[in-house]
Amino acid sequence: MQHSPTTLAEWSEAILAAQAVRHSIPPEWRMDDDLPELSHARYADVVEFSPEDLVITVQAGMTLDALQELLVADQRRLPVGESPMPLGDWTLAELLSINPPHTDEFERGGWRDWLLGAKLLMGDGRIIKIGSRAVKNVAGYDVQKLIVGSRGTLAVVLEATLLVGPAGHAGTNEAVPWGTRSSLLGQIQRGHESSRGYEMEGDPWHIQRVSLTDGPLLQAAADGVPHAFHPPTATLWARTREPLPRFEGDWVMRPGALVPDSPALLPLWRRAKEQLDPRGVLNPGYLRL
Amino acid sequence: MSLREDLARIVGADAVRDSEAARQVYDGDAYPIERSKPLCIAFPKNTDQVAQLVRYCVAHDVPFTPRGAGTGLSGGAMPALGGVVVSTKRMTAILEIDVANRRLRAQSGIANKRISDAVAQFGLHFAPDPSSQSVSTLGGNIAENAGGPHTLKYGVTVRHILSATLVLPDGDVVELGRGVPGGPGLDLLGVVVGSEGTTGIVTEATVRLTPLPAAVRTTLAAFPSVRAATECVAGIISAGVIPAAMELMDRGILGALRAAFGLTYPEDAAALLLIECDGLPESVEREQAVVEAECRERGALEVRVAQSEAERQSLWVARKKGIGAMGRLAPTIVTHDGVIPRSQLPQMLEDVAEIAAAHGLSVANLFHAGDGNLHPCIYFDEREPGIVERVISAGEQILRKCVELGGSVSGEHGIGVEKMDLLTLMFSPDDLEVQARTKAIFNPGSLGNPCKILPNQKGCHEHRMRWRGAAT
């Protein structure tokens, strides 16, 4: 069963009428569940766009491709780099729920950095505002940090205010396809000259693309599982001709339920769910508590 | 046994103070309006001692308030309900410098600048650079999510904290973050940064180090009007260039700089814009070309570009010594902190001038223009009857205007006790209830840094008049 609200009142009514809903999870990331679907399909309009401020507010059903198309018309762009998973047809609700990595994350930030404010639907039907439209803001608790990457288990993002960038920002990454070794080495040499450099040989995790910037994030696909790490933390700096090692602290992003890194965090995760979704109505099972 | 003796058993007799003088020193931070004395000040030296102190306070129902250098501007370190101040003054060790991975781990009492000084030899630095950086601590920067001139390009503190050890308000110790950016899961660390010490006490943190830029170009442009300077800011951003820093100083600051340091600027200059571009040489040159073209197009009277590091430092004098120079203008200065969308800067600066004039007050502006982060500085003589009330009223009107324009009541100084009531300009009761629930994930009780950020907290209202009374 799928329900696609078109107004704020409909969103509230839909959540109040439900015992449990699934929302904001891309199809390939869904668990094998039979939850009724609350869809953003008919909630995808622009709310406000200020190209001169590099800020846009949209309804969260807008896809990344649609958003980028709209932004590019005004010489703007959300600075999402390459990703091992195709993100273009993901909605913003899905992107914010999953927080997928991308190649420019280290330099340009990620979804947690770009979400300046939002309108949220809580599990009790209330619609609330977090953050603001300002690019810098320390007023109150940064609830948006908690929402991004929570797999929709704490709230439903209805509108998102995002920090965007210029379309042709100087210093744009050059993505170098793996295999063009001479080109890669040239880039590496330039990197060394500016006190940042990486050398690598071998392709243990089938590296698809390498992006060389102030601090690149490499994306790889190991055994079909997207994961991400960035070379400085892979102890590559100043080392030569060694394969990319795995390292303590890198992470793997898997579909399904989120699990805390350590048992010590479990009480905090539980309390987050109890405090923000006490009815347990939002994406039950997507946090393993 | 007395409180002092109990605490001494945890941190040592030489690491507890409770004299009248000490209690007065620790009765607040750099926000001068509200004060409240603690019973005791404890100076732990590590995470374990902080955890023991917190557990002791919880067991004995004693409020506790963390404190770094006390440079906060909104009263976040004021011990609102008395109790114990937990100072990180003795927690200043660098624990690990990981050059290969561009990371540094330190105790939270370390001064911000010491981090950058320690890694400069490796061509790295810690990017957040609040004006207080020579003394303000890593823990304080984390608590306030501190900014600074160069956070326009590099981002505020939260982007530079990779993990942290947190003593929760019940005394449990947790490690948040993985030591690398991003990743799946609930971003508890992202909530702790900027929570003004109300979600626990950060005792150690791993920070991200950023390469020093290969090239830097610094420009100081003088404009005939504030409007022209602010339009230049909007023009540069709109042209797709995000400089490392973009700082604006108006006529009030220029007058003070002339008087204090003999600095000279074009006679009819009404505003100075300091713009710094950094990065790889080729991209810096591209950005610099846009910056200079925009300055001239907006009618700059003079455009000075530093040709050496010494010249660069001299151009920064106007920005770095501006507030100090204002001491010449009046005995008291109140610096406000609000944010607006950058395109609204021209209008907002005119509104600030009008609001100040309507209150019979003098105002000067020196602020992070690139972020739209205003710092109107109202200068006055507090001995003049009724003037403090007018200063407070003007400040509230300015912040109200910021919110009307889609901005925020605080860009980098925090809410603390100063702006609790103003949060209701931005957020509805339902919005604030969700914020309270977010705080309760970490701090469901009322002992850990009480009476901060959220308005109308139980048990706080009746104390408020006492804080204000203590400061006058």
Side-chain angles (χ1 to χ4, degrees):
Chain A
M1 193 179 72
Q2 181 171 308
H3 190 42
S4 304
T6 59
T7 66
L8 293 177
E10 285 180 16
W11 279 103
S12 280
E13 286 162 16
I15 207 85
L16 285 171
Q19 296 300 313
V21 295
R22 186 186 58 223
H23 71 96
S24 310
I25 304 289
E28 62 272 31
W29 286 69
R30 287 174 194 162
M31 298 193 295
D32 187 18
D33 57 46
D34 54 0
L35 295 168
E37 176 80 8
L38 196 51
S39 167
H40 285 77
R42 296 167 66 200
Y43 209 70
D45 286 341
V46 179
V47 178
E48 193 173 357
F49 180 23
S50 310
E52 65 279 22
D53 291 323
L54 307 179
V55 172
I56 190 166
T57 303
V58 294
Q59 293 176 337
M62 183 174 284
T63 64
L64 179 59
D65 277 349
L67 176 67
Q68 296 289 37
E69 193 178 330
L70 195 146
L71 291 169
V72 164
D74 274 293
Q75 306 299 310
R76 299 292 178 254
R77 187 177 169 275
L78 197 65
V80 190
E82 299 288 329
S83 173
M85 26 192 163
L87 302 177
D89 61 353
W90 285 29
T91 64
L92 278 168
E94 292 166 343
L95 291 159
L96 294 168
S97 149
I98 302 294
N99 188 28
H102 64 97
T103 44
D104 297 355
E105 192 161 354
F106 193 76
E107 188 189 21
R108 304 282 170 75
W111 300 96
R112 287 183 179 127
D113 304 303
W114 303 329
L115 186 67
L116 301 175
K119 198 169 272 183
L120 303 180
L121 172 68
M122 307 307 290
D124 61 5
R126 281 188 291 184
I127 290 169
I128 64 136
K129 173 198 160 190
I130 55 173
S132 80
R133 292 185 59 245
V135 298
K136 196 175 178 188
N137 174 25
V138 294
Y141 291 89
D142 213 345
V143 183
Q144 53 269 42
K145 291 285 190 299
L146 199 55
I147 299 301
V148 177
S150 65
R151 304 222 172 155
T153 57
L154 305 179
V156 183
V157 179
L158 296 183
E159 289 179 11
T161 297
L162 297 161
L163 175 66
V164 302
H169 181 41
T172 297
N173 289 351
E174 262 180 86
V176 184
W178 183 260
T180 58
R181 186 169 169 73
S182 58
S183 159
L184 185 61
L185 290 178
Q187 297 287 337
I188 287 166
Q189 187 55 40
R190 286 177 58 206
H192 274 304
E193 286 166 6
S194 57
S195 84
R196 53 189 81 93
Y198 315 97
E199 295 213 11
M200 54 199 78
E201 189 170 284
D203 187 6
W205 293 301
H206 178 52
I207 292 165
Q208 294 170 323
R209 293 173 83 81
V210 178
S211 171
L212 294 156
T213 65
D214 278 358
L217 183 81
L218 293 189
Q219 304 290 344
D223 306 325
V225 179
H227 69 284
F229 49 90
H230 70 80
T233 54
T235 56
L236 286 169
W237 205 39
R239 294 174 67 172
T240 56
R241 291 180 175 76
E242 290 189 19
L244 288 168
R246 284 190 72 82
F247 68 100
E248 188 188 354
D250 71 349
W251 46 264
V252 177
M253 182 166 270
R254 297 176 192 283
L258 285 171
V259 186
D261 287 346
S262 79
L265 295 177
L266 200 53
L268 293 173
W269 281 45
R270 282 196 185 120
R271 242 184 269 157
K273 183 69 175 172
E274 288 161 10
Q275 288 290 340
L276 297 190
D277 179 26
R279 287 178 65 216
V281 66
L282 302 170
N283 287 351
Y286 282 81
L287 280 187
R288 192 175 300 156
L289 303 175
Chain B
M1 254 197 310
S2 69
L3 176 63
R4 181 194 169 103
E5 287 166 334
D6 285 346
L7 299 186
R9 287 161 70 95
I10 297 171
V11 294
D14 63 340
V16 184
R17 300 274 185 281
D18 67 351
S19 68
E20 184 58 27
R23 292 173 60 223
Q24 191 163 344
V25 167
Y26 285 87
D27 68 358
D29 53 22
Y31 170 61
I33 307 294
E34 299 178 55
R35 299 273 161 193
S36 172
K37 285 181 193 167
L39 295 172
C40 258
I41 307 100
F43 301 90
K45 62 181 183 188
N46 55 38
T47 301
D48 183 53
Q49 288 190 352
V50 172
Q52 285 189 59
L53 285 169
V54 169
R55 284 197 287 268
Y56 172 89
C57 287
V58 172
H60 294 83
D61 204 27
V62 175
F64 55 92
T65 302
R67 180 188 170 100
T71 55
L73 289 160
S74 56
M78 181 189 75
L81 301 184
V84 175
V85 165
V86 180
S87 166
T88 58
K89 198 172 180 177
R90 295 203 307 168
M91 297 170 54
T92 59
I94 292 175
L95 303 170
E96 185 187 6
I97 299 177
D98 180 1
V99 174
N101 296 318
R102 291 187 199 153
R103 296 185 293 193
L104 178 147
R105 189 163 180 87
Q107 289 186 299
S108 59
I110 190 172
N112 168 307
K113 191 167 177 297
R114 244 191 86 205
I115 299 174
S116 288
D117 289 347
V119 297
Q121 59 184 307
F122 307 114
L124 300 168
H125 75 299
F126 180 49
D129 59 344
S131 302
S132 58
Q133 72 179 140
S134 61
V135 287
S136 69
T137 64
L138 173 59
N141 292 171
I142 290 171
E144 301 296 321
N145 196 10
H150 289 85
T151 51
L152 171 59
K153 175 175 177 180
Y154 293 100
V156 291
T157 300
V158 69
R159 281 193 65 177
H160 304 275
I161 304 302
L162 299 174
S163 66
T165 304
L166 179 74
V167 176
L168 288 163
D170 63 3
D172 282 353
V173 179
V174 290
E175 183 70 19
L176 302 178
R178 298 180 175 82
V180 291
L186 300 187
D187 184 12
L188 298 169
L189 181 60
V191 179
V192 168
V193 179
S195 65
E196 305 189 29
T198 64
T199 51
I201 303 178
V202 171
T203 54
E204 295 179 11
T206 299
V207 307
R208 167 181 151 180
L209 301 173
T210 304
L212 290 165
V216 181
R217 295 280 267 169
T218 307
T219 305
L220 189 67
F223 290 88
S225 68
V226 172
R227 178 167 275 275
T230 51
E231 284 175 351
C232 185
V233 171
I236 289 169
I237 297 285
S238 199
V241 169
I242 313 239
M246 195 144 51
E247 304 282 303
L248 195 147
M249 295 135 277
D250 74 0
R251 196 189 296 272
I253 301 288
L254 301 191
L257 286 166
R258 279 196 193 96
F261 303 111
L263 297 177
T264 57
Y265 305 104
E267 270 308 307
D268 38 0
L272 294 181
L273 194 57
L274 181 75
I275 307 156
E276 189 155 279
C277 300
D278 72 15
L280 294 172
E282 52 270 48
S283 63
V284 168
E285 289 313 310
R286 276 197 299 270
E287 292 183 358
Q288 182 66 19
V290 172
V291 164
E292 291 186 35
E294 283 288 334
C295 287
R296 296 193 196 288
E297 194 174 312
R298 310 283 170 174
L301 302 167
E302 182 184 74
V303 179
R304 292 185 210 170
V305 181
Q307 302 301 323
S308 65
E309 179 57 24
E311 276 185 44
R312 173 177 173 256
Q313 293 299 339
S314 104
L315 294 188
W316 269 95
V317 166
R319 174 64 182 89
K320 291 191 171 171
K321 296 203 169 179
I323 287 280
M326 284 191 67
R328 293 237 168 184
L329 302 179
T332 307
I333 301 163
V334 169
T335 303
H336 288 286
D337 170 42
V339 198
I340 51 161
R342 293 172 275 226
S343 61
Q344 305 291 337
L345 275 172
Q347 182 60 48
M348 186 69 210
L349 268 289
E350 288 176 10
D351 290 342
V352 167
E354 273 175 30
I355 291 168
H359 285 79
L361 297 168
S362 301
V363 66
N365 292 283
L366 171 152
F367 64 100
H368 312 306
D371 291 320
N373 188 183
L374 300 175
H375 289 322
C377 306
I378 298 176
Y379 50 101
F380 58 101
D381 185 340
E382 62 190 3
R383 290 166 296 190
E384 186 183 325
I387 198 162
V388 171
E389 289 74 14
R390 280 187 280 136
V391 170
I392 291 172
S393 167
E396 289 187 359
Q397 276 194 31
I398 288 169
L399 294 172
R400 196 177 289 272
K401 192 78 194 169
C402 289
V403 175
E404 280 172 24
L405 293 173
S408 166
V409 296
S410 184
E412 58 184 10
H413 294 176
I415 299 300
V417 291
E418 181 198 13
K419 292 180 178 173
M420 285 193 293
D421 297 337
L422 296 176
L423 266 196
T424 56
L425 296 177
M426 290 178 70
F427 299 112
S428 73
D430 277 351
D431 301 342
L432 290 171
E433 207 257 343
V434 170
Q435 292 201 25
R437 285 175 168 275
T438 303
K439 174 187 172 185
I441 296 168
F442 304 87
N443 187 3
S446 56
L447 296 175
N449 204 4
C451 306
K452 305 289 166 64
I453 303 181
L454 296 169
N456 304 318
Q457 288 182 66
K458 211 170 143 188
C460 295
H461 184 70
E462 56 270 31
H463 291 273
R464 190 133 203 221
M465 297 317 291
R466 187 169 58 81
W467 308 336
R468 293 205 158 173
T472 53

